[in-house]
Amino acid sequence: EIVMTQSPATLSVSPGERATLSCRASQSVSSNLAWYQQKPGQAPRLLIYGASTRATGIPARFSGSGSGTEFTLTISSLQSEDFAVYYCQQYNNWPPYSFGQGTKLEIK
Amino acid sequence: EVQLVESGGGLVQPGGSLRLSCAASGFTFSSYWMSWVRQAPGKGLEWVANIKQDGSEKYYVDSVKGRFTISRDNAKNSLYLQMNSLRAEDTAVYYCARYDSSGANWFDPWGQGTLVTVSS
């Protein structure tokens, strides 16, 4: 089973600044990685798939990069609506699909 | 508009059973793999099970094998999760999620979830 590890657990950033979130896989997942955003009381929403392709309707300030075992989600200029929990998920080797434990992005 | 609406959650005693349903609309349900993903209170996401378009393939996380059964009715555009021998650790919000159009990779979209609480 592939273990996904996200860092940091909590990230404090001011609106308008850049946020960089990391996700590491215990073994290579190639580019088979997705990112999700989850706000309190809501279902997760797909942001990125294929490590770097934005999902439909996702603003250009969200970008993904990486391959193999190291991945990054970057939010270039934080808006108030971006403060949420972010999860990475690998779909290279399944079952099972595995998610990271999440990074909480909070307002500084 | 693609929509997934879960139902069937509630309070159940340990060892009990519950059947979750997910009503799909706005897309050709029979063309997609489907899945259940759960989230324990205050915790992260955990994939539970998935099912192929025609129901011929089903996969489960180890912790629910032999206790949970995923199924679908393409004529009714519905996905189900039969949960037996429930344990306290099964307490979670259960989300129904559609896979991508190319296979069984990422989840998009998700339903709003239904809460299952296992407690005496």
Side-chain angles (χ1 to χ4, degrees), chain A residues 1 32 34 36 38 41-46 48-50 55-56 87 89-91 94-101, chain B residues 33 35 37 39 43-47 50 57 59-62 65 95 99 104-113:
Chain A
E1 176 179 343
N32 297 315
Y36 301 88
Q38 187 178 33
Q42 297 186 17
R45 176 176 72 145
L46 176 70
I48 300 282
Y49 61 90
T56 302
Y87 294 94
Q89 173 238 330
Q90 70 83 20
Y91 51 90
W94 64 269
Y97 296 86
S98 40
F99 292 88
Q101 80 279 16
Chain B
W33 281 79
S35 187
V37 180
Q39 186 171 37
K43 302 298 184 181
L45 301 167
E46 180 184 38
W47 170 79
N50 66 2
E57 294 182 39
Y59 300 92
Y60 301 90
V61 67
D62 283 350
K65 282 180 183 176
Y95 295 102
Y99 279 100
N105 300 308
W106 56 88
F107 306 100
D108 181 44
W110 303 55
Q112 87 288 350

Side-chain angles (χ1 to χ4, degrees), chain A residues 14-69:
Chain A
S14 301
E17 293 189 340
R18 174 188 297 257
T20 302
L21 290 67
S22 296
C23 175
R24 173 177 292 179
S26 60
Q27 64 188 76
S28 178
V29 299
S30 186
S31 294
N32 297 315
L33 185 107
W35 289 94
Y36 301 88
Q37 176 193 67
Q38 187 178 33
K39 297 179 180 179
Q42 297 186 17
R45 176 176 72 145
L46 176 70
L47 296 176
I48 300 282
Y49 61 90
S52 60
T53 302
R54 278 190 303 278
T56 302
I58 301 303
R61 65 180 181 273
F62 290 90
S63 63
S65 63
S67 66
T69 62

Side-chain angles (χ1 to χ4, degrees), chain B residues 33-91:
Chain B
W33 281 79
M34 296 293 296
S35 187
W36 289 97
V37 180
R38 68 184 178 183
Q39 186 171 37
K43 302 298 184 181
L45 301 167
E46 180 184 38
W47 170 79
V48 174
N50 66 2
I51 185 168
K52 196 176 180 179
Q53 290 93 328
D54 61 0
S56 61
E57 294 182 39
K58 304 175 185 181
Y59 300 92
Y60 301 90
V61 67
D62 283 350
S63 60
V64 309
K65 282 180 183 176
R67 301 189 299 123
F68 289 12
T69 301
I70 189 172
S71 62
R72 64 192 296 162
D73 185 335
N74 288 340
K76 296 183 177 180
N77 291 336
S78 293
L79 178 72
Y80 306 101
L81 186 67
Q82 177 66 44
M83 303 185 295
N84 298 331
S85 302
L86 282 161
R87 306 167 179 169
E89 54 264 35
D90 296 318
T91 294

Side-chain angles (χ1 to χ4, degrees), chain B residues 93-104:
Chain B
V93 174
Y94 285 73
Y95 295 102
C96 165
R98 190 188 74 173
Y99 279 100
D100 58 287
S101 59
S102 60

